[in-house]
Amino acid sequence: MSAMRRNKSTNLPAPFLKRLWVKEDASLGEQYPFNLPWLDTDFLLDFATPVTIIVGENGTGKSTLIEAVAALCGFDEAGGGKGYMPVDHSRAVDRSGALLATALRAAWLPKVTAGWFFRAESFFSVARFLDEAARDANAAPPDFLSWSHGEGFVRFFEERMSRQGIYLLDEPESALSPKRQLELLRILHAIQGSANAQIIMATHSPILMAVPGARLLEITRAGLVETELRKTGHFKLYRDFTVDPYDFVDRALSDED
């Protein structure tokens, strides 16, 4: 816990991480993640709002990009904050985010290292780690695991993201019902308004894409392109489904055949 307490606060509003770009001397080869179609020597990503949302299909490199930012922040790529290493990576197969980070530079104003990298698949390992660390320090554990999966997620977001820092969310909707997604939407909306924290989130959820004032980027083979909710493929697919679910399913099954 001491690593978090040593972080200094700032009076400047988010975003704190201002820009990402490829190092001039970076060697982009033919192996993943350096062969991602949108990654080249001209890659440049500016952060202009407290909340930045990245969307795109599976396999486009969204999660890898979020992992790379986590590595640049000094966070563990399995999830957690600076100084937390809840998961043993000695036998890990995929370290693509950490690899990508070696080819990137980051510009900060100011450098803020408080924060958290949230990954749904490692949430329970991280939550157990936090409970054990609190007990070792003779403090009350946060006890996120005594709630249902979705409720534990929302409690975690409310507790952690109320603090100044940078927070990276990789598909947080995976365990959230639509109603719980609305709760997270309200949290993100408050952060967008207060600018006390910076959020960079990868998501497939049209609900979470709808944070008012947030910057919405779609990751494609051509790069990261600023877009609008109604123009995303995710929104169009859900819209078509709700207009006529039975016809939508019939057409989807016909296409599968």
Side-chain angles (χ1 to χ4, degrees), residues 22 27-40 43 59-68 93-104 219:
V22 173
S27 177
L28 302 179
E30 297 180 357
Q31 298 297 318
Y32 192 88
F34 303 113
N35 63 350
L36 284 164
W38 48 266
L39 184 66
D40 57 36
F43 173 77
T60 54
K62 299 187 309 301
S63 293
T64 300
L65 178 58
I66 296 290
E67 291 165 13
V93 176
D94 183 14
R95 301 291 300 277
S96 53
L99 283 174
L100 178 57
T102 64
L104 299 177
I219 191 167

Side-chain angles (χ1 to χ4, degrees), residues 111-123:
K111 178 68 179 288
V112 172
T113 56
W116 204 262
F117 175 29
F118 176 84
R119 300 191 68 166
E121 60 266 35
S122 63
F123 175 74

Side-chain angles (χ1 to χ4, degrees), residues 39 61 81 96 102 133 163 167 169 182 190 194 200-201 208 232 244-245:
L39 184 66
S96 53
T102 64
R163 311 173 188 180
Y167 298 91
L169 312 181
L182 286 174
S194 69
I200 304 173
M201 175 176 65
L208 297 181
T232 64
D244 190 335

Side-chain angles (χ1 to χ4, degrees), residues 102-200:
T102 64
L104 299 177
R105 288 195 183 279
W108 299 78
L109 185 64
K111 178 68 179 288
V112 172
T113 56
W116 204 262
F117 175 29
F118 176 84
R119 300 191 68 166
E121 60 266 35
S122 63
F123 175 74
F124 289 105
S125 295
V126 173
R128 281 192 293 269
F129 176 85
L130 291 174
D131 284 348
E132 292 169 1
R135 293 189 186 100
D136 290 343
N138 295 317
D143 196 21
F144 296 116
L145 299 180
S146 293
W147 303 72
S148 74
H149 203 171
E151 288 174 322
F153 277 32
V154 172
R155 284 194 69 236
F156 179 86
F157 296 139
E158 289 175 335
E159 193 272 336
R160 287 283 152 177
M161 298 194 305
S162 64
R163 311 173 188 180
Q164 186 178 82
I166 180 167
Y167 298 91
L168 312 171
L169 312 181
D170 186 20
E171 300 181 11
E173 72 276 7
S174 59
L176 300 179
S177 69
K179 184 177 180 180
R180 295 298 181 194
Q181 290 180 41
L182 286 174
E183 293 183 46
L184 178 54
L185 177 72
R186 294 185 188 101
I187 294 171
L188 296 174
H189 177 51
I191 292 172
Q192 175 65 23
S194 69
N196 185 57
Q198 180 174 6
I199 307 292
I200 304 173

